[in-house]
Amino acid sequence: MMKVLITGGGSEEPIDTVRCICNFSTGRTSAFLAEQLSQKGHNVTLLQSVRGKVAELNSNLTVKNYRTFHDLQENLKNECQTGNYDVIIQAAAVSDYSVGSIIVDGKEYSPEQIPKVSSGCELSIKMKQNPKLVDSIKKWALDAGCKTPVLVAFKLTSKADLEDRKKAVKKVFDSTGNSTLAPDYVISNDLSEITPQAHPCRIFMNDISVKKEVNNLQELALALENLI
């Protein structure tokens, strides 16, 4: 049996204490994979966003929540350095940008420094770029003396044809510039194809060939277990 770490849901980046920038991720995929793999007897830890779908717990499943990019980064780093995982599935919809500062009526503040920006104020937001967490996962594990995990990444596109999806997937594989630290598989899905009943995915290998095509999350969970 495997020891598996899964991340899921969408991070949210605070503006003040009542507003944030977020994305549309529901965490449905990560919760489903965590449930399926743990029910098969694998030891699964799920790092799920606070707004993500709640996974059905069992004796093989541990759930830890995060809110912001920074929360996820710290939790993920800690798990990589201490968990000695066989497999890490990075399914979280991580924010590419965080709020660097907010400008209220011409005066600059740190995020959440103002409890609530009044509706009559003029508000501007300065964003800062976040690092790609998937690029650090294997390095964190190796630097801590843990085994090299099988790393599975996700790449969501929107209304992209196959060639554009391949280009997006290749960027994920090539991002670190070091094949040793790159994902072993990248799962491509497109927002335009996802419905409550269907979730088509292609599992790509590092030569950008398609290893497996699936039609729904049940098939994806089975395909991942067989691959890994």
Side-chain angles (χ1 to χ4, degrees):
M1 292 299 172
M2 300 180 294
K3 189 174 184 183
V4 184
L5 175 66
I6 303 174
T7 69
S11 58
E12 56 184 54
E13 304 308 319
I15 297 171
D16 56 22
T17 59
V18 298
R19 299 180 180 90
C20 67
I21 296 171
C22 59
N23 55 54
F24 295 130
S25 175
T26 64
R28 181 170 68 103
T29 298
S30 54
F32 185 86
L33 293 177
E35 290 169 355
Q36 292 294 302
L37 291 174
S38 61
Q39 288 168 9
K40 294 286 188 68
H42 302 295
N43 185 354
V44 179
T45 297
L46 172 62
L47 296 181
Q48 184 79 309
S49 68
V50 293
R51 295 185 301 107
K53 186 179 186 301
V54 177
E56 184 176 334
L57 294 176
N58 60 67
S59 60
N60 295 320
L61 176 58
T62 300
V63 178
K64 300 178 181 181
N65 293 120
Y66 71 89
R67 180 189 174 208
T68 67
F69 170 87
H70 180 73
D71 294 339
L72 176 58
Q73 183 181 43
E74 290 301 306
N75 279 288
L76 181 55
K77 182 177 181 179
N78 180 66
E79 292 295 333
C80 290
Q81 292 178 332
T82 62
N84 208 31
Y85 289 96
D86 299 300
V87 183
I88 298 178
I89 301 173
Q90 170 73 338
V94 185
S95 298
D96 290 323
Y97 295 88
S98 295
V99 177
S101 64
I102 62 173
I103 302 171
V104 182
D105 289 340
K107 188 174 180 179
E108 193 164 355
Y109 301 90
S110 299
E112 297 187 294
Q113 185 176 348
I114 296 179
K116 184 177 185 295
V117 178
S118 298
S119 58
C121 295
E122 182 177 324
L123 172 65
S124 299
I125 301 172
K126 288 184 178 180
M127 308 295 289
K128 61 181 180 181
Q129 193 166 13
N130 291 326
K132 297 291 186 184
L133 294 183
V134 72
D135 293 347
S136 298
I137 287 174
K138 285 187 177 181
K139 187 176 188 305
W140 284 331
L142 291 172
D143 287 351
C146 296
K147 67 183 75 172
T148 304
V150 175
L151 178 57
V152 180
F154 275 71
K155 184 59 183 179
L156 177 68
T157 53
S158 182
K159 299 181 180 179
D161 60 26
L162 181 57
E163 286 307 308
D164 285 338
R165 291 173 72 163
K166 285 183 176 180
K167 290 177 184 177
V169 165
K170 190 173 189 304
K171 285 183 178 179
V172 178
F173 277 117
D174 295 345
S175 182
T176 64
N178 183 341
S179 59
T180 303
L181 302 179
D184 297 280
Y185 302 99
V186 175
I187 298 172
S188 168
N189 49 17
D190 194 271
L191 190 61
S192 65
E193 298 176 348
I194 299 172
T195 69
Q197 294 75 35
H199 198 126
C201 297
R202 290 181 175 92
I203 303 175
F204 282 89
M205 300 180 68
N206 58 11
D207 62 358
I208 318 302
S209 63
V210 178
K211 179 69 175 178
K212 183 77 174 178
E213 292 190 36
V214 300
N215 298 308
N216 53 54
L217 295 181
Q218 185 76 46
E219 292 181 9
L220 177 61
L222 180 60
L224 282 175
E225 186 178 27
N226 289 337
L227 280 175
I228 297 165

